[in-house]
Amino acid sequence: MKLRHVVAFSAAFAALASSAKAEDLVFMLTNNTRSTLERFYTSPVGVNDWEEDVFGNDVLQPGESIKITIRDGRTVCKYDMRFEFTEDSDLDTTEDTQNLCELGSYTIHE
């Protein structure tokens, strides 16, 4: 399995009323499908819009894994995730919700 470089993204930092330090959320994402994962989005639960595509110009090929680091300045743990595959894939867009503070790895399956 090929390990890609760390993907990190930053969203606009929200002003926090408390002095609590936000922790980076880190987990390993594995594509266990036969299709290329073209876009991956996350947003905290309750936010109505998706944040930027975590991959940017990159993709996650079948069988590959990548270390994801979310540095958005928030102190929440539950995130919605959206997985979009290439147009030639027979897989539909998939969404899931996870507690990323407790998640060490996530594998997308067909």
Side-chain angles (χ1 to χ4, degrees):
M1 221 179 304
K2 181 178 177 184
L3 178 62
R4 295 260 186 135
H5 298 286
V6 174
V7 171
F9 72 95
S10 297
F13 286 91
L16 297 175
S18 70
S19 61
K21 181 182 175 202
E23 296 286 327
D24 291 346
L25 301 175
V26 180
F27 64 98
M28 187 67 65
L29 175 63
T30 300
N31 181 1
N32 195 23
T33 71
R34 292 181 302 241
S35 299
T36 300
L37 185 55
E38 189 171 51
R39 286 178 291 281
F40 172 59
Y41 301 94
T42 64
S43 286
V45 169
V47 173
N48 292 331
D49 296 316
W50 293 106
E51 306 278 330
E52 296 176 27
D53 174 16
V54 175
F55 291 162
N57 293 327
D58 215 356
V59 296
L60 191 60
Q61 298 293 335
E64 289 186 340
S65 296
I66 189 169
K67 184 177 179 182
I68 303 290
T69 302
I70 299 176
R71 293 186 184 112
D72 63 5
R74 294 182 172 106
T75 57
V76 298
C77 290
K78 289 190 86 171
Y79 278 77
D80 293 323
M81 298 182 292
R82 180 180 176 97
F83 305 90
E84 295 181 2
F85 297 91
T86 54
E87 276 189 34
D88 62 346
S89 171
D90 59 350
L91 297 178
D92 293 328
T93 295
T94 302
E95 294 182 2
D96 194 8
T97 300
Q98 293 290 328
N99 181 330
L100 297 182
C101 295
E102 297 175 358
L103 190 69
S105 65
Y106 185 93
T107 301
I108 183 116
H109 300 277
E110 292 189 33

